[in-house]
Amino acid sequence: MTSPQSPTRPIFSNDLCTVWKLSPNGQSVCKLNYGSSCFFVSSGVGDIDLKCRHVMNEDCSRFQSPARLSSKERVSWMPLFTNEGGESVDPLLEIDTSSVGPLNGALDVYAFEMKHVQDKREESLDGVSASEGVPQITFNVGTELLYNNSYINVWDFIIVPGETCHVHRHTKNYLFLNLDKSTTQGFDKNGELLGESSVQNAGQVTFVDLKGGETIHAARNLGESEFRQIIVELKEHHGPLRM
């Protein structure tokens, strides 16, 4: 078996998740944790082929997993199963990325590894009415729900320049990935300022641990270009993630 190249350095990692920016039209190697699962997200509209190979065990054919990120489905979930009866090793995942046809501008592809997700709140994607005089509050924490399963919700989040997004409620631990550099101002549910404005850099990943609580807020785009994020909510789960 050919030795894989050195593992790609993640742009973010903690006890629950790891994020890599993949090489465009090239190869990346992600070092995963035994028993985890991962998914891929593209930064925009376009067709991209992904060829994933488990490079620690050639006999484990279930790791040979072609996938495509398309204009209709910008998220591709890939369950990683442990080798039944085999040795418990942390796998390396070799990923070939290639564009298919012309793309609408530059596209980035990110790999997210989900390790052990624990969040005891029930899922709800329905808007709820707030108290009298308070704006409508929704559990929809982004602009469009790109993907969801029993482990995660993946949201696209866009705010045009000068606009303020809907007031929304976070009840699940989450992380967000900034696709472009942007400047935003936060507001509470009553429209009052939340601290100072903040600058987010392209490729910046932030994890938010709600510690069993919740947060309600909105954000205004103070920049001159679109504010774009990928938001990943982590649902309740205990133990290795399997499908």
Side-chain angles (χ1 to χ4, degrees), residues 75-137:
V75 179
S76 179
W77 172 269
M78 190 184 72
L80 294 179
F81 297 88
T82 55
N83 188 12
E84 295 179 3
E87 183 180 1
S88 299
V89 295
D90 290 342
L92 293 176
L93 191 67
E94 192 176 80
I95 307 163
D96 288 330
T97 308
S98 58
S99 60
V100 181
L103 298 178
N104 183 14
L107 272 185
D108 294 319
V109 178
Y110 297 87
F112 292 74
E113 179 192 20
M114 296 290 100
K115 303 172 188 177
H116 295 76
V117 180
Q118 296 184 3
D119 190 313
K120 297 184 178 181
R121 294 184 175 270
E122 295 295 324
E123 177 186 8
S124 174
L125 298 179
D126 298 324
V128 294
S129 296
S131 302
E132 184 177 356
V134 177
Q136 178 86 359
I137 300 173

Side-chain angles (χ1 to χ4, degrees), residues 207-229:
F207 182 84
V208 181
D209 184 354
L210 295 175
K211 301 185 184 301
E214 66 176 28
T215 184
I216 301 174
H217 60 204
R220 177 176 298 159
N221 181 359
L222 302 181
E224 297 180 354
S225 58
E226 278 191 340
F227 165 88
R228 300 193 305 145
Q229 282 185 346

Side-chain angles (χ1 to χ4, degrees), residues 46-208:
D47 292 338
I48 297 176
D49 277 340
L50 302 171
K51 295 180 180 179
C52 306
R53 293 179 298 276
H54 176 226
V55 296
M56 298 277 296
N57 184 350
E58 288 182 330
D59 297 328
C60 195
S61 60
R62 72 186 73 185
F63 281 90
Q64 308 291 328
S65 178
R68 173 173 285 194
L69 300 173
S70 69
S71 302
K72 293 183 178 180
E73 297 181 356
R74 287 173 47 200
V75 179
S76 179
W77 172 269
M78 190 184 72
L80 294 179
F81 297 88
T82 55
N83 188 12
E84 295 179 3
E87 183 180 1
S88 299
V89 295
D90 290 342
L92 293 176
L93 191 67
E94 192 176 80
I95 307 163
D96 288 330
T97 308
S98 58
S99 60
V100 181
L103 298 178
N104 183 14
L107 272 185
D108 294 319
V109 178
Y110 297 87
F112 292 74
E113 179 192 20
M114 296 290 100
K115 303 172 188 177
H116 295 76
V117 180
Q118 296 184 3
D119 190 313
K120 297 184 178 181
R121 294 184 175 270
E122 295 295 324
E123 177 186 8
S124 174
L125 298 179
D126 298 324
V128 294
S129 296
S131 302
E132 184 177 356
V134 177
Q136 178 86 359
I137 300 173
T138 176
F139 286 98
N140 297 343
V141 301
T143 307
E144 179 185 0
L145 183 64
L146 298 175
Y147 180 84
N148 74 95
N149 61 20
S150 57
Y151 303 115
I152 57 172
N153 293 325
V154 182
W155 296 88
D156 197 17
F157 189 26
I158 298 175
I159 310 175
V160 300
E163 294 295 317
T164 302
C165 73
H166 56 279
V167 180
H168 54 276
R169 183 191 307 266
H170 289 277
T171 61
K172 300 174 177 63
N173 292 339
Y174 65 100
L175 66 149
F176 55 89
L177 163 67
N178 287 88
L179 299 177
D180 299 298
K181 186 174 182 179
S182 57
T183 303
T184 56
Q185 173 63 60
F187 297 89
D188 65 16
K189 64 182 181 181
N190 299 309
E192 300 294 330
L193 292 177
L194 282 175
E196 302 292 331
S197 62
S198 60
V199 176
Q200 299 88 25
N201 293 315
Q204 178 179 332
V205 180
T206 303
F207 182 84
V208 181

Side-chain angles (χ1 to χ4, degrees), residues 232-243:
V232 181
E233 296 182 288
L234 310 183
K235 301 181 184 179
E236 178 181 4
H237 188 77
H238 300 273
L241 297 177
R242 303 187 186 186
M243 293 292 285

